Amino acid sequence: MTRSSPAAVGALLALGFVPWVVLASAPGDLTFVMSWGLLNTTPWHVLGFPSYLEQTQGLASLPWSLQVWPLSFAFYVGALASATGGAVVGREDVRLTVGLLVLSAVGSLVLWWGFVERGATGVIPVGFVATAVVCWWVYWPRLRGSRVGGIDTR
């Protein structure tokens, strides 16, 4: 099993700038739900996750799909730390990195589904798609040659 390359770490860093969910409320009014907070275009405003929690009276007051948000972010940070460790120190289990990325993607999908379930229209799960592309493009070739449960994945 190989480790993450500096390019893989760069791809994971780029995921931090990709919105997990895009909400199109009205023409020209977009809200980007980022891993770290909210970015709104009308008016331009950035709200970090801690500030969001202060304004909504804490995590417990949020719907279940929004309660997954910080956990999903923690999975993303764990995947980034694992890949960075692989690129810098040379110690990494790529399966752990990919597993954390997949859990992060599932969290962003739960976040998206929560908006859809509450009747929001124009909701796009950008983070899930971007994370799936990174997993497939960067990590699938590394995982393909490994043995999983005695089965050769080549």
Side-chain angles (χ1 to χ4, degrees):
M1 180 109 0
T2 61
R3 58 189 173 91
S4 291
S5 65
V9 174
L12 291 181
L13 278 173
L15 284 177
F17 296 98
V18 173
W20 284 2
V21 176
V22 176
L23 300 161
S25 304
D29 183 17
L30 297 173
T31 300
F32 299 101
V33 180
M34 309 294 282
S35 59
W36 45 265
L38 300 170
L39 173 67
N40 200 332
T41 60
T42 308
W44 281 97
H45 183 73
V46 174
L47 185 66
F49 188 73
S51 299
Y52 179 76
L53 285 180
E54 287 174 14
Q55 293 183 12
T56 58
Q57 297 152 359
L59 194 61
S61 68
L62 297 175
W64 66 270
S65 60
L66 289 174
Q67 291 179 3
V68 174
W69 188 7
L71 183 60
S72 183
F73 178 63
F75 289 139
Y76 165 73
V77 170
L80 182 61
S82 176
T84 302
V88 174
V89 182
R91 295 184 52 98
E92 172 191 20
D93 186 347
V94 178
R95 296 170 299 185
L96 174 66
T97 304
V98 172
L100 290 170
L101 274 178
V102 167
L103 288 172
S104 176
V106 168
S108 71
L109 199 60
V110 167
L111 185 65
W112 168 78
W113 181 250
F115 287 118
V116 170
E117 191 176 55
R118 286 189 291 283
T121 57
V123 185
I124 306 166
V126 178
F128 175 78
V129 173
T131 305
V133 166
V134 167
C135 284
W136 174 73
W137 189 266
V138 174
Y139 288 105
W140 178 246
R142 289 177 172 81
L143 292 175
R144 215 175 46 196
S146 64
R147 294 183 63 82
V148 178
I151 299 170
D152 192 1
T153 59
R154 280 182 249 154

